[in-house]
Amino acid sequence: MKADLPAALGGPVPGSTVLTLPPAPGTHVTVRGLAKAFGGAPLYSGFDLDLPRGRIVSIFGPNGCGKSTLMNMIAGLMAPDAGEILFDGKSLRDTRIGYVFQNYRDALFPWISARDNIAYPLRRSGMKAAAVQARVDELVALFEIRFDLARYPYELSGGQMQTVCIMRSLATRPEVLFLDEPFSALDFEMTLFIRAKLQEAQAAAGTTLVIVSHDLEDAVFLADRILLLTRRPTRIAEIVPFDLPRPRRPEAVADPEFVRVKAHTLAVFRREMSA
């Protein structure tokens, strides 16, 4: 059931670098020798990881194992204590990324309209007005928006606000998109809608997606790879491949392969909980 892993994943190698442990073929994001401690207690130490290009990777593990911390270090929102992170051999500074925050209510600018929130990163990049309008219109069509984007965020439902956040994160055509618990505050109808639209957007652009989830079904449903973490000090328990064809519709949860992969990831999770 295990995917092919870098040699170091069988046991962390302190001080690993891209030179001493080259990335696997097809890797987009390379993490080597990552370290992070809080209050003197190590969370990550000598942590190595390869994330494949153009795939969806979900991160799942026990409470407190550092799922969001790992993603935030890769995304540049939190500084690691040590280690290197490269995107196709480039630094974060030279890489276009998008980020969808868990708390969408605080992530949107309340003083500008939903449409202006989506357009904000494009205008900040210096894009001309006509090109900004064209890109926003493209996203409106992709997400089949039926609500009024002239409204302010506080006038929208939670699902509508999260949709705006995702559209904004995709506006600049990121190479890597990070999503922190994108479904945690959504009702079931909006969860199904966002699952479908994320698949469409990812397929259209070939974007690499990294998703943190605390829900096992969400972690498995969208993923090509499920990154399962141990208790802290955190290591990789297993990387589970899931190759069910796309688009994956709601009925996929009854597919025998989905059931098998979900059962296996649950077994690994329980093993790590009792370790």
Side-chain angles (χ1 to χ4, degrees):
M1 193 73 189
K2 287 190 177 182
D4 292 334
L5 306 180
L9 299 189
V13 179
S16 296
T17 69
V18 174
L19 293 179
T20 60
L21 186 63
T27 293
H28 192 167
V29 182
T30 306
V31 178
R32 291 293 181 269
L34 196 69
K36 187 68 178 178
F38 292 98
L43 178 60
Y44 290 98
S45 179
F47 187 88
D48 302 322
L49 174 66
D50 291 339
L51 297 178
R53 181 184 295 105
R55 297 300 189 100
I56 302 176
V57 177
S58 64
I59 304 174
F60 190 76
N63 184 45
C65 71
K67 298 180 289 293
S68 293
T69 298
L70 175 61
M71 187 171 75
N72 288 339
M73 287 192 288
I74 296 173
L77 300 184
M78 180 182 293
D81 296 335
E84 58 182 339
I85 302 166
L86 296 175
F87 300 79
D88 264 339
K90 303 178 298 182
S91 69
L92 177 64
R93 183 185 297 273
D94 298 318
T95 305
R96 287 192 318 278
I97 69 166
Y99 197 106
V100 177
F101 294 89
Q102 181 177 357
N103 191 344
Y104 50 77
R105 297 182 188 277
D106 293 337
L108 295 173
F109 300 123
W111 59 87
I112 59 177
S113 70
R115 187 179 186 92
D116 285 339
N117 266 279
I118 298 167
Y120 180 80
L122 301 174
R123 291 174 177 151
R124 285 279 297 174
S125 71
M127 184 180 286
K128 293 183 178 179
V132 170
Q133 180 172 332
R135 177 57 178 156
V136 174
D137 287 345
E138 184 180 356
L139 289 166
V140 168
L142 173 65
F143 280 81
E144 302 178 84
I145 298 302
R146 299 287 184 263
F147 58 91
D148 185 5
L149 290 175
R151 292 156 64 188
Y152 291 94
Y154 58 82
E155 298 177 296
L156 304 177
S157 70
Q160 290 169 342
M161 283 191 281
Q162 184 68 312
T163 301
V164 170
C165 286
I166 293 172
M167 292 169 68
R168 181 178 64 182
S169 72
L170 290 167
T172 59
R173 304 182 193 276
E175 300 166 53
V176 184
L177 176 61
F178 300 92
L179 302 101
D180 189 7
E181 284 289 323
F183 310 109
S184 62
L186 301 183
D187 61 27
F188 187 60
E189 180 182 358
M190 282 305 302
T191 294
L192 296 182
F193 174 79
I194 295 297
R195 281 177 178 177
K197 292 307 174 183
L198 280 175
Q199 289 183 85
E200 289 181 32
Q202 192 274 338
T207 308
T208 299
L209 266 62
V210 182
I211 303 175
V212 164
S213 179
H214 291 83
D215 182 275
L216 183 58
E217 181 173 301
D218 286 338
V220 174
F221 186 88
L222 283 177
D224 299 299
R225 301 289 183 270
I226 303 107
L227 171 61
L228 299 173
L229 299 176
T230 68
R231 286 184 177 276
R232 58 193 304 169
T234 306
R235 305 177 310 283
I236 294 175
E238 191 169 322
I239 299 179
V240 181
F242 183 40
D243 298 319
L244 194 69
R246 300 185 188 279
R248 295 175 190 163
R249 308 198 183 282
E251 298 77 16
V253 298
D255 187 283
E257 180 64 4
F258 180 91
V259 174
R260 183 183 69 82
V261 170
K262 183 180 177 182
H264 178 77
T265 56
L266 178 60
V268 174
F269 175 77
R270 284 176 167 169
R271 182 190 74 201
E272 296 305 323
M273 286 291 294
S274 61

